[in-house]
Amino acid sequence: MENTNEITMEMLQKQVDALTKKVGKLEKNRKDQLAIAVVSGDLDKVLAAMVISLAAAAMDTQVKLFFSFWSLSALRDPKKHPKGKDFISKMFGIMLPTGKDKLTLSNMNMGGMGPMMIKMLMKKQNVMSLDEMFKQAGELGVEITICEMSMGLMGFKAEEMIDYPHLRYAGAATFVADAGESAMQLFI
Amino acid sequence: MTTEELKNIQSNLVVDARGTACPGPLLAAKKAIGEIESGEIMEILSADEGTKNDIPRWCDKIGHEYLGFYDEDSFSRLFLIKE
């Protein structure tokens, strides 16, 4: 009789262990975390990504941004001039905006008039500039991951990217992992 | 709380976020909340209409007790008790 009792306890312990593991995994799946894939390099879209990120960070939500493709232009530092690029990389470098101040609008760009007007309005209405937003994001611990593959495609070098406190380079699997454990995922 | 009650509140800290639009006031509130102790009252001045909706949501999430707001001529005063 005692013997069967012992086996039951052991089985119960096993089940409890299995459940604890499962719950732990589930909790990790819905972390208070926001993952955004920032793919667009338009001023309006990068602005949207940053405003949402700042609001989330202010609400104590961990924010993880994955910058890829056109959005990389926003992370270029106009003061840095990397050497040793091949011809195509150089051409790309010249054709793409050098940094967040040079981004164009997805609508009503009007040859640069649009962004100028938006920036004027933002100032007038006390909206933070993109520069300021990145500074705040850095202070709030917003993480930025740059897509390694896009860097290669566009011919960008790590030396020409902005100085940002929480910057790293990784691949798509990193975004998938970040997004998988986040309660919120966005694609901009 | 009624406007009268709010007007009588002695805030422990006043955060003037009138010079910034969304999400500025929320960021200002988050930064300033560390300066007061639990149970103390923070007052936020904001000229951004959205703040009136954002601050209660923020309080809800973090656990601060939102007391309410009242409007001045060109801005609002929002009150909360730190968790």
Side-chain angles (χ1 to χ4, degrees), chain A residues 11-175:
Chain A
M11 279 162 62
L12 272 175
Q13 188 58 48
K14 248 187 195 162
Q15 282 195 348
V16 167
D17 286 349
L19 279 172
T20 313
K21 214 171 156 189
K22 215 171 192 176
V23 169
K25 216 172 176 184
L26 280 173
E27 272 175 349
K28 217 182 142 211
N29 277 349
R30 299 287 295 177
K31 263 205 263 185
D32 185 10
Q33 184 172 290
L34 164 68
I36 308 182
V38 190
V39 178
S40 315
D42 305 305
L43 173 64
D44 40 339
K45 294 182 181 169
V46 175
L47 264 175
M50 292 313 288
V51 171
I52 295 169
S53 298
L54 286 181
M59 291 181 88
D60 286 354
T61 299
Q62 176 70 41
V63 182
K64 298 194 170 181
L65 303 177
F66 186 76
F67 275 71
S68 87
F69 229 85
W70 304 118
S71 70
L72 294 198
S73 297
L75 301 178
R76 292 173 83 195
D77 188 333
K79 292 189 294 291
K80 296 180 184 169
H81 306 284
K83 292 191 172 68
K85 281 191 180 187
D86 60 35
F87 177 71
I88 294 179
S89 297
K90 263 186 202 156
M91 285 308 287
F92 255 88
I94 291 165
M95 286 187 295
L96 288 166
T98 40
K100 42 184 140 37
D101 290 336
K102 295 277 162 60
L103 302 181
T104 54
L105 282 173
S106 64
N107 264 314
M108 297 188 3
N109 191 53
M110 302 180 291
M113 279 288 284
M116 224 168 74
M117 274 158 63
I118 287 285
K119 281 176 202 166
M120 224 172 68
L121 283 171
M122 280 168 68
K123 214 174 213 168
K124 202 173 148 214
Q125 312 217 0
N126 294 317
V127 177
M128 272 180 262
S129 67
L130 256 187
D131 257 330
E132 179 63 19
M133 284 188 197
F134 272 86
K135 205 178 135 243
Q136 295 279 348
E139 284 173 18
L140 286 164
V142 171
E143 286 178 27
I144 293 181
T145 305
I146 297 181
C147 170
E148 190 84 68
M149 185 266 273
S150 303
M151 288 286 283
L153 269 185
M154 310 262 177
F156 291 158
K157 295 196 157 194
E159 303 103 85
E160 68 186 294
M161 301 321 247
I162 53 166
D163 297 313
Y164 184 82
H166 322 286
L167 194 73
R168 62 175 176 173
Y169 295 85
T174 298
F175 174 70

